[in-house]
Amino acid sequence: MSSAVELTPPGPRGVPPLFARLVDDSALFPPSDAAMPEALKGHFASRGGDRSGMLGVFLCQASRLPELITELIKIKPAEPLPLALIIDTGLGGVPKAISIVESRSELLALKMVEMPAPSDVDETWLERVSEFVPEDVVRVVEPRRGVGWLDGVQKVIEHGSRPKIRCGGQSPENFPAVDEVADFLSVVAGSTGATFKATNSLHRAVRHTADDGIEHHGFLNLLVASARCLSGGDVRGALASTDGAALAEEARGLSDEAATAVRAMFASYACAEFDRPVGDLVDLGLLDAL
C-alpha cells in the first residue's frame, strides 16, 4: 500500500470561475505560523478535498526550503507540490533558491516567486528579477506604500511582473486606506494585461472590524471592486461596503465573461486558514454547502 499523498482534482461540485484557484496557502506565515508538518498536512488535505478547486499554491520562504524538502521526502506526494517561493534572503539569493527547487522536481513545482521591492523600485533591480526568475514562473513584486508608490506599481507591471498589495499586517499602518487600494486597482486596470496579487489580513470575505479594532479588507470586496474597476463602477463603494448580502448578489450576477476578466486582473490572495474563506462563501450562498 502506497504512503503517497494523492493530489486529486477538484471535487465533483467544483467552484464557480470567480473563485477558482483564488486562495494561496500561507499557513507558514502569521497569523497561523504553523509548523511545517502541520502546514503541509493541512494543505494536502485541502488539495484532496471537495473545495480543492479554490486552492492555489503553497507559500514557503526561501530560507525554509531545506525544511520543506525534508518534510516532503517523508510525505512522498504523488505529484510535485505547486510552490510560491517567498524570497526572504534578498535578491542575490534568488538563483540559489530556484536551483534548489529545480533540483527536487519530483517534490516541487515552482509556479511563482515573490519578493519585496526596495524603497526605490529602479529599472536595474527589476531587470535582475526578470533575469533570475525563469520565464515560465510568475514574478510577483511588492512595492512599498508611500511617496511614489503607484509609480513603483507601474514599473513592476511594465517589467512583466505581477504587483502585490499588502492589505494588512501586525499594526494599523499596515492596512491601506480604501482610497489607496482603489488607486492601486486603477493602475492595474489601466495597464493592458496586468494582474495583481493581494496578501495579509484578507481572512474574511467581507470588510469588517476585527478583534484588533481595525477595519479589515475583505477578499469579496476586492473581487467586486475589480469588476467595477473594469466596468467603470463605484470602486471605492465596493471596497468600503460591509453589506455581505449585497456584495454576494453583485458577485453572483457577474457573467462568466466578466468573472474571467476579474480573475485575469485579480489572480489570487494569500490566506493562512483555507476553511475561513470557504465557510464565508458558503454562508453568503456563493458556494454550495456540502
Side-chain angles (χ1 to χ4, degrees):
M1 181 174 169
S2 172
S3 60
V5 175
E6 295 297 331
L7 300 183
T8 58
R13 293 176 183 265
V15 297
L18 189 63
F19 309 118
R21 306 299 177 202
L22 177 66
V23 185
D24 290 336
D25 187 344
S26 62
L28 293 177
F29 297 80
S32 178
D33 286 321
M36 188 68 74
E38 285 69 33
L40 287 171
K41 179 180 178 181
H43 182 84
F44 283 120
S46 297
R47 189 163 291 280
D50 288 314
R51 308 298 191 185
S52 61
M54 275 186 65
L55 186 62
V57 294
F58 182 81
L59 277 59
C60 181
Q61 304 92 326
S63 61
R64 298 185 69 176
L65 269 177
E67 185 184 359
L68 173 63
I69 291 169
T70 296
E71 290 302 321
L72 287 174
I73 289 172
K74 296 176 185 176
I75 293 172
K76 298 184 177 70
E79 297 178 14
L81 174 71
L83 175 69
L85 190 61
I86 311 301
I87 303 301
D88 59 348
T89 53
L91 183 59
V94 172
K96 180 180 179 181
I98 291 177
S99 177
I100 291 173
V101 173
E102 291 179 341
S103 72
R104 303 311 301 255
S105 59
E106 78 282 9
L107 299 174
L108 296 167
L110 185 61
K111 302 296 185 181
M112 190 179 297
V113 173
E114 303 184 29
M115 66 195 79
S119 54
D120 178 20
V121 188
D122 65 84
E123 308 281 338
T124 301
W125 186 88
L126 287 167
E127 287 172 4
R128 291 185 69 198
V129 171
S130 299
E131 292 170 3
F132 289 165
V133 180
E135 289 186 4
D136 61 344
V137 174
V138 174
R139 303 185 300 273
V140 178
V141 175
E142 180 189 345
R144 300 181 186 180
R145 281 189 300 118
V147 177
W149 174 57
L150 296 177
D151 290 337
V153 172
Q154 187 66 54
K155 287 180 183 177
V156 169
I157 293 170
E158 290 171 354
H159 278 75
S161 294
R162 184 174 293 176
K164 179 165 70 173
I165 182 168
R166 186 171 296 271
C167 292
Q170 302 299 310
S171 57
E173 57 266 24
N174 296 134
F175 290 77
V178 163
D179 283 349
E180 290 178 295
V181 180
D183 289 343
F184 173 88
L185 294 179
S186 179
V187 172
V188 177
S191 304
T192 303
T195 303
F196 77 92
K197 178 172 182 175
T199 189
N200 278 58
S201 302
L202 289 167
H203 312 302
R204 309 305 298 266
V206 179
R207 183 178 180 86
H208 65 285
T209 301
D211 293 339
D212 55 15
I214 301 171
E215 281 202 5
H216 287 227
H217 295 281
F219 69 85
L220 184 59
N221 295 77
L222 268 179
L223 286 166
V224 172
S226 296
R228 291 188 186 182
C229 199
L230 293 169
S231 63
D234 179 9
V235 175
R236 285 167 174 77
L239 292 170
S241 176
T242 57
D243 188 340
L247 290 168
E249 183 178 0
E250 188 167 345
R252 193 180 298 110
L254 293 175
S255 66
D256 286 347
E257 182 181 3
T260 299
V262 168
R263 292 303 310 284
M265 176 179 167
F266 178 13
S268 65
Y269 80 97
C271 182
E273 299 176 43
F274 185 65
D275 288 345
R276 277 197 177 189
V278 169
D280 277 3
L281 292 179
V282 170
D283 291 343
L284 290 166
L286 292 170
L287 283 180
D288 291 336
L290 297 177

